[in-house]
Amino acid sequence: MIYDVQNYGAVGDGVHNDTAAIQAAVDDCAENGGGRVLLGGGHVYRSGTLILRSHVELHLEAGAVLKGSDHLEDYNLRGSGPVSPADITRPTYENCEYAGAPALYFIYAKDCEYISITGQGKIHGNEKIFHGTVTEWHIDGSFYPRVPMLFLEHVSHLTLHQITLTASAFWTVHLVGCEDVLIDGIRILNSLNMANCDGIDPDHCRNVRITGCHIECADDCIVFKNTASAMQYGPCENITVTGCTLTSTSAAIKFGTESEAPFRNIIVQNCNISRTNRGISLQLRDKGCIENVIFSGLNIDTRLFSPRHWWGKAEPIAITALRRKETTELGCIRNITFENINCTGENGILIYGDETSDISDIYFKNLSLTLTEKTSWPKNTKDLRPCIGSGLAEDTLHVLTAHNARNVTLENLHWRTEEAMQEYVTEEIVVTECPGFKMNTGQNA
């Protein structure tokens, strides 16, 4: 069955609020056992919070746009309390702790099965109404956490197919405790200046496939999370990412920093990462462990962005384990493999743990790295944020920095430092407090 929202009173003129009409179509579809809720092409449907139901496919035809309302009160799903959290008093690149539960929602579902969002149309998050401090290099929000575009909790058999998601002001696809997820061929096109507008955030999710997607966003493109508010859903596990193209002002692929439960059995392969401030980032800051992860067949191209506003210093690969607070008990990072990876950019590989960390069994095979100058930003800083203290320290460039890690093995590493970068490099390989470190056939090309 097809449930056309225009038959329920949706105007689709880009002005009228069509929330009630779209919601009525969704509810009618679910009550009748399921089907397709259709947003016809050639129309802009304005809406506040929409609640999806089991067995409903939300389908946007080519030329259809579902755009967020201009009014914050239209996102107040709970219907009580303040319309938005308190204003930001510190910029989010300094203080962005988040338990994982927003106050406001755009597209929402909980405790459902067989939900799909499909089509050649577009969902628009209306990012501009959430702007706070705006600079040339960075846009912060007026409050935190802001409205995620999709917040889908405890949904099984979930499909996102072909849809374009754009102008999100916060995490674009936040999946919490979801199982059997297919994300195939979607586009996420967000501002590269808007803070915290991550692409896809699987949070305590299992059995997830992300394939053939193109993502441009800030901060991070694909981020595995284990937030504190969703511990009942267990680990983030059994996930594959393949055939994606990724651009970000922070990390293209990231684990953390919210890491309260385990991450395990995850494969990332055959992806192209370009124009990105950090390629792959494992950021353990809490009690969970990151284990049994394989990265293979990647091209990673990095460049520096504003060093104050964005975490990362153009590292193609960064593995860090540092306490978030003095009282934090860190988990571990172990059994991580990187193979057949080409890296080009303005920094080298970073492996760094504090004195309480447990980083072990990190294996690199067939890596090439070219240090090349692409920007005029300073190249003398190591970035360990977030952590106790500022997290920023002066350092020269290195092909590899490793500190406080056990059993790190590099097999067949080749590197080249272009002439413009040679003045920044004092030592190419710096290894401290790393028992069991092995480097076979490393070579400066």
Side-chain angles (χ1 to χ4, degrees):
M1 287 283 292
I2 295 177
Y3 298 80
D4 190 328
V5 298
Q6 290 184 313
N7 293 335
Y8 289 81
V11 179
D13 63 355
V15 178
H16 287 82
N17 187 330
D18 290 323
T19 308
I22 299 170
Q23 190 64 61
V26 169
D27 293 345
D28 203 12
C29 177
E31 288 171 8
N32 286 289
R36 170 177 284 188
V37 173
L38 176 66
L39 278 68
H43 296 279
V44 177
Y45 305 89
R46 302 302 298 271
S47 179
T49 300
L50 294 171
I51 303 174
L52 300 183
R53 312 290 190 193
S54 293
H55 305 289
V56 171
E57 176 193 358
L58 182 67
H59 182 82
L60 284 75
E61 285 186 337
V65 179
L66 175 61
K67 186 174 182 179
S69 170
D70 290 332
H71 307 288
L72 284 179
E73 57 267 25
D74 292 337
Y75 303 96
N76 195 6
L77 176 64
R78 295 190 175 97
S80 61
V83 170
S84 66
D87 291 345
I88 291 174
T89 56
R90 290 174 59 192
T92 54
Y93 52 83
E94 292 182 2
N95 181 31
C96 63
E97 292 186 32
Y98 178 43
L104 307 176
Y105 304 82
F106 186 12
I107 299 175
Y108 174 85
K110 185 177 181 182
D111 300 332
C112 296
E113 63 178 1
Y114 293 102
I115 286 177
S116 300
I117 302 175
T118 67
Q120 296 289 338
K122 181 187 299 183
I123 301 177
H124 190 294
N126 202 13
E127 163 214 312
K128 291 184 178 180
I129 71 167
F130 303 98
H131 283 186
T133 302
V134 179
T135 69
E136 181 180 2
W137 308 107
H138 181 268
I139 301 171
D140 219 335
S142 56
F143 60 91
Y144 184 93
R146 295 180 294 283
V147 180
M149 181 177 287
L150 307 182
F151 188 92
L152 309 175
E153 180 175 355
H154 196 219
V155 177
S156 60
H157 318 302
L158 169 67
T159 300
L160 306 179
H161 181 59
Q162 292 189 332
I163 197 77
T164 295
L165 309 175
T166 190
S168 182
F170 199 59
W171 299 3
T172 308
V173 181
H174 187 182
L175 310 176
V176 182
C178 294
E179 185 168 359
D180 181 10
V181 177
L182 175 62
I183 302 177
D184 177 35
I186 74 168
R187 296 171 176 86
I188 297 178
L189 306 175
N190 289 337
S191 166
L192 290 176
N193 286 2
M194 184 71 202
N196 315 118
C197 65
D198 295 358
I200 301 170
D201 294 68
D203 183 359
H204 295 277
C205 292
R206 56 173 53 91
N207 302 330
V208 179
R209 292 89 71 209
I210 301 171
T211 181
C213 298
H214 176 68
I215 304 174
E216 299 180 13
C217 63
D219 293 293
D220 312 295
C221 292
I222 299 173
V223 198
F224 306 108
K225 302 281 190 183
N226 281 312
T227 55
S229 67
M231 291 295 287
Q232 69 271 27
Y233 297 120
C236 208
E237 63 183 351
N238 303 336
I239 298 172
T240 62
V241 177
T242 185
C244 294
T245 50
L246 309 171
T247 296
S248 169
T249 32
S250 278
I253 301 285
K254 188 170 102 175
F255 290 65
T257 62
E258 296 82 0
S259 45
E260 295 286 349
F263 306 85
R264 57 192 178 214
N265 306 335
I266 297 173
I267 297 174
V268 179
Q269 61 184 357
N270 301 337
C271 293
N272 283 309
I273 295 169
S274 63
R275 296 184 297 119
T276 295
N277 198 31
R278 187 176 264 166
I280 297 166
S281 180
L282 278 59
Q283 287 183 280
L284 184 69
R285 298 297 183 270
D286 303 300
K287 63 187 178 185
C289 285
I290 304 172
E291 56 189 350
N292 306 335
V293 181
I294 298 173
F295 300 92
S296 68
L298 308 179
N299 290 313
I300 302 175
D301 174 70
T302 64
R303 49 149 294 170
L304 287 161
F305 286 78
S306 170
R308 177 168 174 254
H309 297 104
W310 304 105
W311 293 351
K313 295 290 176 241
E315 309 95 333
I317 298 168
I319 302 171
T320 59
L322 300 107
R323 289 167 294 165
R324 189 184 296 277
K325 301 176 181 178
E326 292 284 358
T327 56
T328 300
E329 294 186 9
L330 279 177
C332 62
I333 300 176
R334 62 191 176 201
N335 299 332
I336 313 296
T337 298
F338 300 87
E339 58 185 3
N340 301 326
I341 297 177
N342 299 313
C343 308
T344 303
E346 294 188 285
N347 209 339
I349 297 166
L350 175 65
I351 304 171
Y352 194 97
D354 70 17
E355 65 277 9
T356 71
S357 66
D358 183 5
I359 304 173
S360 67
D361 302 300
I362 312 297
Y363 181 57
F364 298 87
K365 181 179 180 181
N366 298 337
L367 263 71
S368 67
L369 171 63
T370 299
L371 293 177
T372 181
E373 188 168 40
K374 298 186 176 187
T375 71
S376 59
W377 291 112
K379 299 169 180 62
N380 63 344
T381 310
K382 181 165 62 214
D383 189 353
L384 302 176
R385 294 175 293 180
C387 62
I388 301 166
S390 73
L392 295 173
E394 286 194 9
D395 195 5
T396 55
L397 286 189
H398 310 289
V399 171
L400 170 73
T401 302
H403 177 71
N404 271 342
R406 293 179 290 112
N407 302 329
V408 176
T409 300
L410 292 93
E411 182 177 340
N412 197 24
L413 169 67
H414 296 267
W415 67 87
R416 181 168 63 92
T417 304
E418 293 187 349
E419 183 176 355
M421 295 290 280
Q422 290 176 2
E423 64 178 290
Y424 307 114
V425 180
T426 55
E427 286 185 88
E428 293 175 319
I429 308 295
V430 176
V431 179
T432 55
E433 305 298 329
C434 291
F437 179 86
K438 297 178 182 178
M439 183 169 172
N440 303 319
T441 64
Q443 184 177 347
N444 186 343

